[in-house]
């Protein structure tokens, strides 16, 4: 498939499986799953037509494995702003995790900690290179180190999404350094 079309479908999925299912009259269940037949029909009704084969290709080839298919169901594995219960088990994190951001946010982050902003959880990366890419979406990246081991020892819960993103509710400033 043409890479531009794959990206277009992926962005369409992100919008409707993470943020605004109601925009096309789609319903997600409590765990974020949408019925594939219903999704394809809703998209077509709203002027964007793609096939099940194209959906399968996008899910399989997606650079960050953002989506998962299970029979006739599809969902985003993380990144939601709509309420979903992904039922990921609490998992002990590595000693350090990383957060990629940009300079203009750093002062506020070091003062008030990392907050989930529009999403359910703060997203953390397992390595500096991934964090650098996350930060680079917004400008010259700045990488913050999160003392995840100490957070966990102090009772904070961590989960890891199917595509390797570490999730936690918030990161207080005392666990953060540049
Ligand atoms: C910042 C992408 C000021 C935070 C990526 C970030 C990731 C604060 C922005 C995933 C703050 C939120 C998530 C505070 C946090 N003061 N700024 N107290 N706390 N921020 O997009 O981590 O392509 O919601 O630094 O690869 O950038 O969508 O989070 O800049 O995995 O699959 O507020 O999104 O994945 O932005 O990215 P986001 P993120 P996908």
């Amino acid at each position: 498939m043409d890479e531009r079309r794959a990206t277009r479908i992926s962005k369409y999925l992100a919008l409707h499986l993470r943020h605004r299912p109601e925009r096309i009259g789609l319903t997600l269940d409590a765990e974020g799953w949408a019925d594939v037949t219903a999704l394809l029909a809703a998209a077509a009704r709203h002027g964007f037509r793609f096939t099940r084969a194209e959906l399968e290709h996008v899910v399989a080839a997606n650079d960050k494995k953002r989506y998962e298919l299970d029979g006739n169901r599809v969902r985003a594995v993380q990144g939601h702003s709509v309420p979903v219960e992904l039922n990921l088990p609490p998992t002990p994190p590595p000693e350090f995790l990383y957060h990629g951001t940009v300079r203009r946010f750093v002062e506020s982050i070091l003062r008030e900690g990392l907050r989930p902003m529009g999403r359910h959880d703060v997203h953390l990366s397992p390595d500096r290179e991934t964090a650098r890419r996350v930060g680079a979406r917004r400008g010259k990246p700045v990488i913050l180190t999160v003392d995840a081991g100490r957070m966990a020892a102090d009772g904070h819960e961590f989960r890891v999404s199917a595509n390797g993103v570490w999730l936690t509710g918030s990161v207080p400033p005392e666990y953060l350094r540049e």
Side-chain angles (χ1 to χ4, degrees):
M1 183 194 303
D2 180 49
E3 199 172 317
R4 280 177 48 223
R5 177 148 174 92
T7 301
R8 180 149 183 251
I9 294 172
S10 177
K11 287 186 183 292
Y12 194 89
L13 294 177
L15 177 61
H16 298 103
L17 297 178
R18 286 173 168 178
H19 307 300
R20 296 188 58 200
E22 77 291 346
R23 182 176 172 275
I24 54 172
L26 189 67
T27 311
L28 308 184
D29 75 8
E31 298 180 332
W33 293 104
D35 182 86
V36 170
T37 312
L39 167 66
L40 298 177
R45 260 200 320 278
H46 287 79
F48 185 49
R49 207 171 272 283
F50 56 100
T51 65
R52 183 171 174 113
E54 287 181 309
L55 176 71
E56 282 172 4
H57 172 86
V58 167
V59 171
N62 190 257
D63 58 344
K64 283 180 65 185
K65 299 264 172 273
R66 291 180 178 87
Y67 312 106
E68 64 184 317
L69 265 169
D70 170 52
N72 197 44
R73 309 187 297 172
V74 62
R75 72 172 173 181
V77 301
Q78 41 79 212
H80 300 81
S81 57
V82 295
V84 288
E85 188 45 75
L86 295 175
N87 292 324
L88 299 167
T91 304
E95 187 176 6
F96 298 113
L97 289 167
Y98 303 91
H99 179 79
T101 188
V102 283
R103 180 59 58 196
R104 64 184 182 278
F105 296 155
V106 170
E107 192 203 342
S108 156
I109 291 172
L110 293 180
R111 190 176 61 239
E112 60 185 35
L114 278 170
R115 298 195 284 118
M117 311 308 273
R119 308 196 196 233
H120 277 199
D121 295 289
V122 169
H123 288 215
L124 302 172
S125 307
D127 56 79
R128 299 181 68 89
E129 175 51 29
T130 307
R132 197 192 56 72
R133 280 200 302 273
V134 172
R137 285 150 59 233
R138 296 197 163 82
K140 186 168 178 290
V142 175
I143 301 166
L144 302 177
T145 301
V146 176
D147 212 340
R150 200 157 53 84
M151 272 183 78
D154 292 346
H156 292 265
E157 281 194 342
F158 288 80
R159 293 174 160 76
V160 60
S161 73
N163 65 345
V165 176
W166 284 86
L167 308 167
T168 193
S170 64
V171 179
E174 61 265 32
Y175 303 104
L176 282 166
R177 67 190 140 81
E178 193 176 334

